[in-house]
Amino acid sequence: MKQLDNEMRQSSVFLSLLFLIQWTNLLVSKVVTPKPEGSKGDNVSFLLNSFQAGYDRRVRPNYGSIPVTVGVTLYILSIGDLSEKFMDFTFDMYFRQFWSDPRLAFDGPKFGIEKLVVGAEYISQIWVPDTFFVNEKIALFHSATTENQFLRIMQNGDVLRSIRLTIKATCLMNLANFPMDDQLCTVEIESFGYTMSDLKYQWNDGLRSVQMSPDVSLPQFLVVGHRQRLVEVSLSSGNYSRLLADVQFARSMGYYMIQVYIPSSLIV
């Protein structure tokens, strides 16, 4: 009888060990680590999927610690209109933001990847700054033939987001010296919800952070130059970091000589 009990116990232990081994093999089979010699496309897919494990896009990087520093650069492609009637100006630009998110860091040499360049679809999966233009009237996101934006993730967690935008922004003009006047129009950039304790802006490339295409021209104005500034704004909800990009315009007298003064003098 004792021998039968021992055999049953041994059988039970054997079955338990067998079940434990099968269960372990099943768990291991679900975690497949790509080999360094595998295709880079497979490694990229693995990395993008692994980022989402425990990642909460609603929470900023370094939450509860130091504020996130967001670097900004602008490249103005064209200026389409400067309206005295509506007190605004319209321009097309590449708007680039730089920040660091340690949750997106990865082992580059292991996967043979220095940086990840992904499309607009993945942007909705990660945290991005809630940047807005303070004096904006209308903003247009370009989507022909696809969304005009991309994302780059470096192996140390640095992130670059680049997007093409067309902005119509308020520009309060002083027309006392018309038509021999100069005008200064400003683009104001700020976080909508994060105060300086959570997010700070900076011009990413110093004095070269705001650049303009040499092809920019207007019929009634000459573009004299541009500059960038950084200010701190105090509102009822807290203190906010704000970037300002100023563009200086000088009215072109040649346009009014040809279109107004010469025809008027001929009529008289």
Short mmCIF file of all heavy atoms in Angstrom, two decimals, residues 153-192:
data_model
loop_
_atom_site.label_atom_id
_atom_site.label_comp_id
_atom_site.label_asym_id
_atom_site.label_seq_id
_atom_site.Cartn_x
_atom_site.Cartn_y
_atom_site.Cartn_z
N ILE A 153 13.31 59.46 -33.68
CA ILE A 153 13.63 59.08 -32.31
C ILE A 153 15.07 58.59 -32.28
O ILE A 153 15.41 57.61 -32.93
CB ILE A 153 12.68 57.98 -31.79
CG1 ILE A 153 11.22 58.43 -31.93
CG2 ILE A 153 13.00 57.63 -30.35
CD1 ILE A 153 10.21 57.35 -31.57
N MET A 154 15.93 59.28 -31.53
CA MET A 154 17.33 58.89 -31.41
C MET A 154 17.47 57.84 -30.32
O MET A 154 16.59 57.67 -29.46
CB MET A 154 18.19 60.11 -31.10
CG MET A 154 17.99 61.28 -32.06
SD MET A 154 18.30 60.87 -33.79
CE MET A 154 20.08 60.62 -33.73
N GLN A 155 18.60 57.13 -30.32
CA GLN A 155 18.79 56.03 -29.39
C GLN A 155 18.88 56.48 -27.94
O GLN A 155 18.65 55.69 -27.02
CB GLN A 155 20.03 55.22 -29.77
CG GLN A 155 21.30 56.02 -29.85
CD GLN A 155 22.47 55.18 -30.35
OE1 GLN A 155 22.54 53.98 -30.09
NE2 GLN A 155 23.40 55.80 -31.07
N ASN A 156 19.20 57.76 -27.69
CA ASN A 156 19.24 58.26 -26.32
C ASN A 156 17.90 58.83 -25.86
O ASN A 156 17.80 59.38 -24.76
CB ASN A 156 20.33 59.32 -26.18
CG ASN A 156 20.08 60.54 -27.07
OD1 ASN A 156 19.17 60.54 -27.89
ND2 ASN A 156 20.88 61.56 -26.91
N GLY A 157 16.86 58.72 -26.70
CA GLY A 157 15.53 59.20 -26.33
C GLY A 157 15.20 60.59 -26.83
O GLY A 157 14.10 61.09 -26.57
N ASP A 158 16.13 61.23 -27.54
CA ASP A 158 15.83 62.55 -28.11
C ASP A 158 14.83 62.41 -29.26
O ASP A 158 14.94 61.49 -30.08
CB ASP A 158 17.10 63.22 -28.63
CG ASP A 158 18.00 63.68 -27.50
OD1 ASP A 158 17.55 63.69 -26.34
OD2 ASP A 158 19.17 64.02 -27.77
N VAL A 159 13.87 63.32 -29.31
CA VAL A 159 12.78 63.25 -30.28
C VAL A 159 12.75 64.52 -31.11
O VAL A 159 12.93 65.63 -30.59
CB VAL A 159 11.42 63.04 -29.58
CG1 VAL A 159 10.30 62.92 -30.61
CG2 VAL A 159 11.46 61.82 -28.67
N LEU A 160 12.54 64.37 -32.40
CA LEU A 160 12.32 65.50 -33.31
C LEU A 160 10.99 65.30 -34.00
O LEU A 160 10.74 64.25 -34.59
CB LEU A 160 13.44 65.59 -34.36
CG LEU A 160 13.11 66.38 -35.65
CD1 LEU A 160 12.83 67.84 -35.33
CD2 LEU A 160 14.25 66.25 -36.66
N ARG A 161 10.15 66.33 -33.93
CA ARG A 161 8.91 66.33 -34.69
C ARG A 161 8.93 67.52 -35.64
O ARG A 161 9.11 68.66 -35.22
CB ARG A 161 7.69 66.44 -33.76
CG ARG A 161 6.37 66.38 -34.52
CD ARG A 161 5.19 66.74 -33.64
NE ARG A 161 3.93 66.56 -34.34
CZ ARG A 161 2.74 66.93 -33.86
NH1 ARG A 161 2.66 67.50 -32.67
NH2 ARG A 161 1.63 66.75 -34.56
N SER A 162 8.75 67.25 -36.92
CA SER A 162 8.74 68.30 -37.93
C SER A 162 7.39 68.29 -38.64
O SER A 162 6.89 67.23 -39.00
CB SER A 162 9.87 68.08 -38.94
OG SER A 162 9.85 69.09 -39.94
N ILE A 163 6.83 69.47 -38.81
CA ILE A 163 5.51 69.57 -39.43
C ILE A 163 5.45 70.84 -40.28
O ILE A 163 6.04 71.87 -39.94
CB ILE A 163 4.39 69.59 -38.35
CG1 ILE A 163 3.01 69.64 -38.97
CG2 ILE A 163 4.60 70.73 -37.37
CD1 ILE A 163 1.90 69.43 -37.97
N ARG A 164 4.76 70.75 -41.41
CA ARG A 164 4.56 71.91 -42.26
C ARG A 164 3.22 72.55 -41.92
O ARG A 164 2.19 71.88 -41.88
CB ARG A 164 4.59 71.51 -43.73
CG ARG A 164 4.45 72.71 -44.68
CD ARG A 164 4.30 72.26 -46.11
NE ARG A 164 3.97 73.37 -46.98
CZ ARG A 164 3.40 73.25 -48.17
NH1 ARG A 164 3.11 72.05 -48.63
NH2 ARG A 164 3.13 74.31 -48.90
N LEU A 165 3.24 73.87 -41.69
CA LEU A 165 2.05 74.60 -41.29
C LEU A 165 1.91 75.87 -42.10
O LEU A 165 2.90 76.48 -42.53
CB LEU A 165 2.12 74.98 -39.80
CG LEU A 165 2.16 73.86 -38.76
CD1 LEU A 165 2.46 74.45 -37.39
CD2 LEU A 165 0.86 73.10 -38.75
N THR A 166 0.66 76.30 -42.29
CA THR A 166 0.37 77.63 -42.79
C THR A 166 -0.41 78.36 -41.71
O THR A 166 -1.45 77.88 -41.25
CB THR A 166 -0.46 77.58 -44.09
OG1 THR A 166 0.31 76.94 -45.11
CG2 THR A 166 -0.82 78.99 -44.55
N ILE A 167 0.10 79.49 -41.27
CA ILE A 167 -0.45 80.22 -40.14
C ILE A 167 -0.88 81.62 -40.58
O ILE A 167 -0.13 82.32 -41.28
CB ILE A 167 0.58 80.35 -39.00
CG1 ILE A 167 1.05 78.97 -38.54
CG2 ILE A 167 -0.01 81.14 -37.83
CD1 ILE A 167 0.02 78.14 -37.86
N LYS A 168 -2.08 82.00 -40.19
CA LYS A 168 -2.51 83.41 -40.31
C LYS A 168 -2.55 83.96 -38.89
O LYS A 168 -3.30 83.47 -38.05
CB LYS A 168 -3.88 83.52 -40.97
CG LYS A 168 -4.39 84.96 -41.02
CD LYS A 168 -5.72 85.07 -41.75
CE LYS A 168 -5.53 84.95 -43.24
NZ LYS A 168 -6.78 85.26 -43.99
N ALA A 169 -1.71 84.96 -38.61
CA ALA A 169 -1.56 85.47 -37.25
C ALA A 169 -1.81 86.97 -37.21
O ALA A 169 -1.60 87.69 -38.19
CB ALA A 169 -0.16 85.16 -36.73
N THR A 170 -2.23 87.43 -36.05
CA THR A 170 -2.49 88.85 -35.85
C THR A 170 -1.19 89.65 -35.92
O THR A 170 -0.15 89.24 -35.40
CB THR A 170 -3.13 89.07 -34.47
OG1 THR A 170 -4.36 88.35 -34.40
CG2 THR A 170 -3.39 90.54 -34.22
N CYS A 171 -1.26 90.80 -36.59
CA CYS A 171 -0.13 91.72 -36.68
C CYS A 171 -0.68 93.14 -36.57
O CYS A 171 -1.24 93.68 -37.53
CB CYS A 171 0.63 91.53 -37.99
SG CYS A 171 2.04 92.66 -38.17
N LEU A 172 -0.57 93.73 -35.38
CA LEU A 172 -1.07 95.08 -35.15
C LEU A 172 -0.11 96.09 -35.79
O LEU A 172 1.04 96.18 -35.39
CB LEU A 172 -1.23 95.34 -33.65
CG LEU A 172 -2.20 94.38 -32.93
CD1 LEU A 172 -2.24 94.70 -31.45
CD2 LEU A 172 -3.59 94.46 -33.55
N MET A 173 -0.61 96.83 -36.76
CA MET A 173 0.24 97.74 -37.53
C MET A 173 0.00 99.19 -37.15
O MET A 173 -1.11 99.59 -36.81
CB MET A 173 -0.03 97.56 -39.03
CG MET A 173 0.13 96.14 -39.52
SD MET A 173 -0.19 96.00 -41.30
CE MET A 173 -0.36 94.23 -41.46
N ASN A 174 1.07 99.97 -37.24
CA ASN A 174 1.00 101.41 -37.05
C ASN A 174 1.13 102.06 -38.42
O ASN A 174 2.20 102.04 -39.03
CB ASN A 174 2.12 101.88 -36.11
CG ASN A 174 2.06 103.37 -35.83
OD1 ASN A 174 1.21 104.09 -36.36
ND2 ASN A 174 2.95 103.84 -34.98
N LEU A 175 0.04 102.64 -38.91
CA LEU A 175 0.00 103.20 -40.27
C LEU A 175 0.13 104.71 -40.28
O LEU A 175 -0.23 105.36 -41.26
CB LEU A 175 -1.31 102.78 -40.94
CG LEU A 175 -1.55 101.27 -41.05
CD1 LEU A 175 -2.93 100.98 -41.61
CD2 LEU A 175 -0.48 100.61 -41.90
N ALA A 176 0.70 105.28 -39.23
CA ALA A 176 0.82 106.74 -39.15
C ALA A 176 1.73 107.28 -40.25
O ALA A 176 1.51 108.40 -40.74
CB ALA A 176 1.35 107.14 -37.77
N ASN A 177 2.73 106.52 -40.66
CA ASN A 177 3.68 106.99 -41.67
C ASN A 177 3.42 106.39 -43.05
O ASN A 177 4.29 106.45 -43.93
CB ASN A 177 5.11 106.65 -41.24
CG ASN A 177 5.52 107.35 -39.97
OD1 ASN A 177 5.16 108.51 -39.76
ND2 ASN A 177 6.26 106.65 -39.11
N PHE A 178 2.25 105.83 -43.25
CA PHE A 178 1.90 105.23 -44.54
C PHE A 178 2.01 106.29 -45.66
O PHE A 178 1.57 107.43 -45.47
CB PHE A 178 0.45 104.72 -44.47
CG PHE A 178 -0.06 104.13 -45.75
CD1 PHE A 178 0.12 102.78 -46.02
CD2 PHE A 178 -0.71 104.92 -46.69
CE1 PHE A 178 -0.35 102.25 -47.21
CE2 PHE A 178 -1.18 104.38 -47.88
CZ PHE A 178 -1.00 103.04 -48.13
N PRO A 179 2.61 105.99 -46.81
CA PRO A 179 3.12 104.69 -47.26
C PRO A 179 4.63 104.52 -47.07
O PRO A 179 5.26 103.75 -47.79
CB PRO A 179 2.76 104.72 -48.73
CG PRO A 179 2.98 106.14 -49.13
CD PRO A 179 2.60 106.96 -47.93
N MET A 180 5.22 105.25 -46.14
CA MET A 180 6.66 105.13 -45.88
C MET A 180 6.87 104.50 -44.50
O MET A 180 7.74 104.93 -43.74
CB MET A 180 7.32 106.50 -45.97
CG MET A 180 7.27 107.09 -47.39
SD MET A 180 8.00 108.74 -47.51
CE MET A 180 6.75 109.71 -46.64
N ASP A 181 6.08 103.49 -44.21
CA ASP A 181 6.10 102.89 -42.88
C ASP A 181 6.86 101.57 -42.85
O ASP A 181 7.06 100.93 -43.88
CB ASP A 181 4.66 102.66 -42.39
CG ASP A 181 3.85 101.84 -43.38
OD1 ASP A 181 4.01 102.05 -44.60
OD2 ASP A 181 3.07 100.97 -42.94
N ASP A 182 7.28 101.19 -41.66
CA ASP A 182 7.85 99.87 -41.38
C ASP A 182 6.92 99.15 -40.42
O ASP A 182 6.30 99.78 -39.56
CB ASP A 182 9.24 99.99 -40.75
CG ASP A 182 10.26 100.61 -41.70
OD1 ASP A 182 10.02 100.55 -42.91
OD2 ASP A 182 11.27 101.14 -41.21
N GLN A 183 6.83 97.85 -40.59
CA GLN A 183 5.94 97.05 -39.74
C GLN A 183 6.71 95.88 -39.14
O GLN A 183 7.58 95.30 -39.80
CB GLN A 183 4.73 96.54 -40.52
CG GLN A 183 3.88 97.62 -41.18
CD GLN A 183 3.25 98.57 -40.16
OE1 GLN A 183 3.10 98.23 -38.99
NE2 GLN A 183 2.88 99.76 -40.64
N LEU A 184 6.37 95.54 -37.90
CA LEU A 184 6.97 94.41 -37.20
C LEU A 184 5.87 93.41 -36.86
O LEU A 184 4.96 93.72 -36.09
CB LEU A 184 7.68 94.87 -35.94
CG LEU A 184 8.41 93.78 -35.15
CD1 LEU A 184 9.61 93.26 -35.93
CD2 LEU A 184 8.85 94.29 -33.78
N CYS A 185 5.94 92.21 -37.45
CA CYS A 185 4.95 91.17 -37.18
C CYS A 185 5.62 90.04 -36.39
O CYS A 185 6.78 89.68 -36.66
CB CYS A 185 4.37 90.62 -38.48
SG CYS A 185 3.40 91.84 -39.41
N THR A 186 4.89 89.49 -35.44
CA THR A 186 5.46 88.52 -34.50
C THR A 186 4.65 87.25 -34.48
O THR A 186 3.41 87.27 -34.53
CB THR A 186 5.51 89.12 -33.08
OG1 THR A 186 6.26 90.34 -33.11
CG2 THR A 186 6.16 88.15 -32.11
N VAL A 187 5.36 86.11 -34.39
CA VAL A 187 4.74 84.81 -34.14
C VAL A 187 5.03 84.44 -32.69
O VAL A 187 6.20 84.43 -32.27
CB VAL A 187 5.31 83.72 -35.08
CG1 VAL A 187 4.59 82.40 -34.84
CG2 VAL A 187 5.18 84.14 -36.52
N GLU A 188 3.99 84.14 -31.92
CA GLU A 188 4.14 83.84 -30.50
C GLU A 188 3.83 82.37 -30.25
O GLU A 188 2.77 81.87 -30.62
CB GLU A 188 3.21 84.73 -29.67
CG GLU A 188 3.46 86.22 -29.90
CD GLU A 188 2.50 87.09 -29.09
OE1 GLU A 188 1.97 86.60 -28.07
OE2 GLU A 188 2.30 88.25 -29.48
N ILE A 189 4.78 81.67 -29.61
CA ILE A 189 4.70 80.22 -29.40
C ILE A 189 4.72 79.92 -27.92
O ILE A 189 5.58 80.42 -27.18
CB ILE A 189 5.88 79.51 -30.11
CG1 ILE A 189 5.90 79.87 -31.60
CG2 ILE A 189 5.82 78.01 -29.90
CD1 ILE A 189 7.21 79.50 -32.28
N GLU A 190 3.78 79.07 -27.48
CA GLU A 190 3.64 78.82 -26.04
C GLU A 190 2.96 77.48 -25.80
O GLU A 190 2.30 76.94 -26.70
CB GLU A 190 2.82 79.95 -25.41
CG GLU A 190 2.69 79.92 -23.91
CD GLU A 190 1.83 81.08 -23.41
OE1 GLU A 190 2.17 82.25 -23.72
OE2 GLU A 190 0.81 80.83 -22.74
N SER A 191 3.12 76.93 -24.60
CA SER A 191 2.38 75.74 -24.20
C SER A 191 0.98 76.16 -23.75
O SER A 191 0.82 77.16 -23.04
CB SER A 191 3.10 75.02 -23.05
OG SER A 191 2.26 74.04 -22.47
N PHE A 192 -0.02 75.39 -24.13
CA PHE A 192 -1.39 75.75 -23.77
C PHE A 192 -1.69 75.42 -22.31
O PHE A 192 -2.42 76.16 -21.65
CB PHE A 192 -2.39 75.02 -24.67
CG PHE A 192 -3.79 75.56 -24.57
CD1 PHE A 192 -4.16 76.69 -25.27
CD2 PHE A 192 -4.73 74.95 -23.76
CE1 PHE A 192 -5.44 77.20 -25.17
CE2 PHE A 192 -6.02 75.44 -23.66
CZ PHE A 192 -6.38 76.57 -24.37
#
